[in-house]
Amino acid sequence: MDIETYEIGQLVRLTAAFTNAADRPIDPSEVSVTVTTPAGNATTSTYAGGSVKKDSVGHYHFDQSADVAGTWRFRWFSTGSGQAASHGEFIVQPAE
Amino acid sequence: MSYTPPDGSSVVIAFGQTPYTPPNGGGFVISLGGTGAITAAITAQDGADEITFAATSTIHADMATGDGADTVSSSLDNNLTGAIVAQDGAELFIAYADPAIGADGLAIDGYLAGGIASVAIEALGGDTDGEEEQSAVVSVRIGASVVVADSADTFEASAESVIVVHGSLIESADGVELLGGVAISGSIEAQDLLDQFEAALYVVPIENVGIQIKTSLVTRLNLASGVNSDVTIGSALAYRVSIAHEGIPVVETGSMLANRITLGILPAPR
């Protein structure tokens, strides 16, 4: 996955599509995403908590305000039935 | 009858006193020598540097280290029917058995838990004295689960003979390394890897010794078999699986499932 670049102030949508070994969409028991700011502060949001939204079976998104310049990291993970994990990062450029 | 040595004692040898409470501060080594049985709990309090079980002994209760204990080791022909709990501050737990000195094995019938920097379990076997061939089957057997808590950096288990964990191995450490004949009848779960993307779990058997994973295994898994050793996977559920072997087939007796997440990122709709 290529590293996307955004301008500070943008709202970044992180999406995750969960599939099983047969490549079919599945809804895991619990879906979470941890976003780590360039300063290293990590916040975990969950579907159960309402901050992670479900678009369709297996498809979820989380909107993150890009309010700090630097490299952000994120990690989607699911537990229980459909356990999986994956991570990525994006870059926020400072305002010119 | 209870026995509490005074604070500041540097060496304590105790048998037959129950319950036994090592002193605060002074016990630089708590050594249980000789042959005997302890039926009460042993709790090493703050400041103990080391707890060593150095001879044949049977402990029918829990053993817990206090804060600040650097090392807990259990060697030779010990049998612990309770749990071993290494508490915060302990840096290392070592359990090993050595046939060269006549030991048959180490058995921990309870669970092993550590909130510690590292955990090492080692079983030595074969010709270890260079003169006389040793044929004893030496094992480290853990009857319940091994739980390595958050502060542990690594978990290592190595064996020239056999380490058997009859429960689960649950760890939230940076890495897990299993070397040699390690059989786990429960599951292996690596938890809380939120910021540890490079954490991995390695199962590397050595010559003539196999690996068995009978149930589930979670997190990234690297399997590498040695010469004349099998890798048997009953049912592995893993995020990322890679297997390397040297001419020995990997036997999959069950399904190997790998759930996946396809990531996406884009500006949010306005």
Side-chain angles (χ1 to χ4, degrees):
Chain A
M1 182 177 171
D2 295 332
I3 299 177
E4 301 288 343
T5 300
Y6 300 89
E7 287 191 11
I8 196 166
Q10 275 190 294
L11 192 61
V12 178
R13 171 157 294 185
L14 308 174
T15 67
F18 293 82
T19 54
N20 62 16
D23 206 27
R24 295 190 180 93
I26 54 171
D27 283 329
S29 301
E30 179 60 68
V31 174
S32 303
V33 60
T34 297
V35 179
T36 304
T37 70
N41 300 316
T43 302
T44 297
S45 303
T46 66
Y47 176 65
S51 50
V52 172
K53 306 299 183 184
K54 179 180 176 181
D55 301 312
S56 61
V57 174
H59 290 75
Y60 298 82
H61 76 262
F62 176 76
D63 290 336
Q64 174 66 48
S65 176
D67 52 3
V68 177
T71 300
W72 293 62
R73 294 188 297 157
F74 61 93
R75 180 176 188 265
W76 285 94
F77 60 99
S78 55
T79 57
S81 174
Q83 178 164 344
S86 192
H87 68 278
E89 60 186 27
F90 62 90
I91 296 172
V92 175
Q93 293 180 330
E96 294 183 359
Chain B
M1 181 178 68
S2 64
Y3 173 68
T4 303
D7 292 352
S9 299
S10 60
V11 178
V12 175
I13 300 174
F15 269 103
Q17 288 88 14
T18 57
Y20 170 65
T21 304
N24 274 317
F28 109 110
V29 172
I30 298 170
S31 178
L32 303 179
T35 301
I38 297 175
T39 57
I42 299 174
T43 302
Q45 297 183 346
D46 295 354
D49 289 333
E50 185 174 336
I51 300 173
T52 302
F53 297 94
T56 301
S57 59
T58 301
I59 300 168
H60 295 291
D62 294 354
M63 182 187 78
T65 71
D67 291 349
D70 290 335
T71 302
V72 180
S73 65
S74 183
S75 63
L76 307 187
D77 204 4
N78 289 323
N79 291 286
L80 280 67
T81 59
I84 296 179
V85 181
Q87 297 178 344
D88 291 348
E91 293 182 353
L92 179 64
F93 174 83
I94 301 173
Y96 69 93
D98 187 347
I101 43 182
D104 292 329
L106 167 67
I108 303 170
D109 289 335
Y111 62 90
L112 168 64
I116 52 185
S118 62
V119 177
I121 300 176
E122 182 177 9
L124 303 176
D127 183 9
T128 57
D129 61 5
E131 296 179 356
E132 183 178 355
E133 188 73 18
Q134 299 287 335
S135 59
V137 175
V138 178
S139 67
V140 173
R141 179 177 59 83
I142 299 174
S145 298
V146 176
V147 181
V148 183
D150 290 350
S151 58
D153 292 330
T154 61
F155 172 85
E156 298 180 6
S158 60
E160 294 179 8
S161 52
V162 180
I163 293 175
V164 178
V165 180
H166 289 289
S168 299
L169 168 63
I170 302 172
E171 66 88 29
S172 55
D174 287 343
V176 176
E177 188 170 13
L178 305 176
L179 301 174
V182 181
I184 297 174
S185 59
S187 61
I188 303 175
E189 302 177 18
Q191 300 176 335
D192 295 342
L193 302 178
L194 302 182
D195 294 320
Q196 301 163 5
F197 299 135
E198 301 304 321
L201 192 150
Y202 298 92
V203 182
V204 185
I206 61 174
E207 186 171 1
N208 297 321
V209 179
I211 290 287
Q212 289 187 335
I213 301 172
K214 293 183 179 179
T215 56
S216 62
L217 186 144
V218 181
T219 194
R220 192 168 67 190
L221 166 65
N222 296 281
L223 291 176
S225 74
V227 176
N228 297 326
S229 59
D230 298 327
V231 175
T232 300
I233 302 172
S235 177
L237 172 64
Y239 158 54
R240 185 179 299 168
V241 178
S242 63
I243 299 174
H245 55 93
E246 300 175 359
I248 303 300
V250 175
V251 180
E252 295 181 33
T253 59
S255 59
M256 181 181 297
L257 301 177
N259 297 310
R260 293 182 175 84
I261 303 176
T262 302
L263 300 177
I265 182 171
L266 68 168
R270 299 180 186 277

